[in-house]
């Protein structure tokens, strides 16, 4: 049984929809489960949410996302100590994939740098579900949204996609074909969490 599970993928990959359904199904089956997300709704999270609506500085963006996560981890630790299953819609791998994409022409080995900054301050997930979809297909899914943030552009998402695939070599990851039917994705996630 896995306890701390994160849902990752580029914008439009469907991970939020699936994580909500996984949460509901686990809860209805009697599991003590929490669904949380990043950026959070804390005061730091609100700064992050404001920050990503503008063309922000990648270092400011990285530090604020990480600060929000360090604060979030205090709550995650409490839930885990209480015996709950914690599902998190976006977590550290979002920073490694997105902010490294922002910084790839600015610093050397940005993923390594971001991981160094985070380690010792964050909780490592038991499982990271990566929803894999081509950037053009993901953008086609979200193009009707009223407000697209500056990350939601094909060239940028292509870099993020590449970073996610590079990160996903570790055994904590389970790559999922995000074009599969939602019910099937939910079933795969639940089977993997409770096995
Ligand atoms: P959301 O659409 O899943 O709510 O996420 C908001 C945006 O923030 C999305 O484009 C991904 C981005 N993001 C980062 O760039 N770095 C991070 O660490 C996180 C958590 C999100």
């Amino acid at each position: 049984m896995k306890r701390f599970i994160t849902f990752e993928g580029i914008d439009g990959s469907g991970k939020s929809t699936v994580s909500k359904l996984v949460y509901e199904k686990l809860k209805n089956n009697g599991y003590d489960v929490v669904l949380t997300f990043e950026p959070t709704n804390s005061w730091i999270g609100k700064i992050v949410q404001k920050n990503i609506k503008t063309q922000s500085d990648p270092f400011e963006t990285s530090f604020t996302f990480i600060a929000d996560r360090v604060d979030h981890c205090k709550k995650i630790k409490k839930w885990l100590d209480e015996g709950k299953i914690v599902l998190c819609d976006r977590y550290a791998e979002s920073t490694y994939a997105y902010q490294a994409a922002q910084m790839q022409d600015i610093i050397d080995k940005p993923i390594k740098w971001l991981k160094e900054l985070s380690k010792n301050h964050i909780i490592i997930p038991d499982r990271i579900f990566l929803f894999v979809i081509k950037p053009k297909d993901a953008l086609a899914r979200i193009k009707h949204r009223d407000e697209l943030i500056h990350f939601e552009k094909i060239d940028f998402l292509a870099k993020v996609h590449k970073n996610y695939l590079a990160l996903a070599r570790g055994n904590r990851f389970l790559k999922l074909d995000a074009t599969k039917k939602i019910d099937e994705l939910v079933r795969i996630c639940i089977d993997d969490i409770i096995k």
Side-chain angles (χ1 to χ4, degrees):
M1 175 105 205
K2 300 180 182 74
R3 298 279 311 287
F4 180 30
I5 299 104
T6 65
F7 294 75
E8 293 282 358
I10 58 173
D11 301 78
S13 62
K15 58 173 182 46
S16 300
T17 308
V18 174
S19 62
K20 280 188 197 111
L21 292 168
V22 169
Y23 166 74
E24 270 156 29
K25 215 158 194 169
L26 285 173
K27 202 168 93 173
N28 293 339
N29 282 298
Y31 289 96
D32 193 3
V33 55
V34 173
L35 174 62
T36 185
F37 54 86
E38 292 188 6
T40 71
N41 272 334
S42 73
W43 66 270
I44 311 175
K46 293 215 169 89
I47 290 174
V48 180
Q49 289 173 24
K50 200 167 157 204
N51 187 29
I52 58 175
K53 293 208 169 105
T54 60
Q55 289 286 347
S56 54
D57 176 277
F59 290 93
E60 286 176 16
T61 310
S62 299
F63 290 130
T64 47
F65 268 121
I66 293 171
D68 185 35
R69 183 160 308 122
V70 171
D71 182 56
H72 194 196
C73 276
K74 293 180 189 142
K75 293 185 194 118
I76 294 172
K77 182 178 181 311
K78 184 173 159 285
W79 290 321
L80 292 172
D81 288 347
E82 288 167 357
K84 298 183 194 311
I85 299 173
V86 179
L87 309 177
C88 189
D89 180 358
R90 291 202 184 282
Y91 189 66
E93 277 61 29
S94 287
T95 301
Y96 307 150
Y98 280 78
Q99 276 61 62
Q102 285 189 287
M103 292 192 289
Q104 69 179 38
D105 300 324
I106 308 174
I107 62 168
D108 192 32
K109 299 198 174 84
I111 294 185
K112 190 165 173 256
W113 186 77
L114 289 161
K115 281 188 174 179
E116 278 297 314
L117 269 183
S118 308
K119 83 166 194 223
N120 304 329
H121 304 289
I122 62 165
I123 303 169
I124 306 293
D126 300 315
R127 170 62 84 213
I128 302 160
F129 291 123
L130 178 61
F131 288 71
V132 180
I133 183 168
K134 288 192 187 117
K136 77 169 171 36
D137 297 340
L139 272 180
R141 287 179 174 187
I142 58 174
K143 65 172 191 274
H144 63 275
R145 287 187 190 165
D146 296 342
E147 197 187 13
L148 288 184
I149 60 171
H150 64 99
F151 292 153
E152 292 163 339
K153 303 237 169 67
I154 188 90
D155 295 349
F156 184 73
L157 286 187
K159 292 181 192 167
V160 177
H161 177 68
K162 208 168 146 215
N163 285 345
Y164 266 132
L165 293 180
L167 287 162
R169 292 192 192 114
N171 59 5
R172 292 181 192 281
F173 280 86
L174 185 65
K175 283 195 271 177
L176 302 170
D177 173 357
T179 63
K180 281 192 171 152
K181 288 207 173 75
I182 288 179
D183 287 356
E184 195 180 343
L185 290 165
V186 172
R187 188 188 51 72
I188 297 170
C189 291
I190 291 185
D191 286 353
D192 181 73
I193 293 168
I194 64 178
K195 89 170 168 219

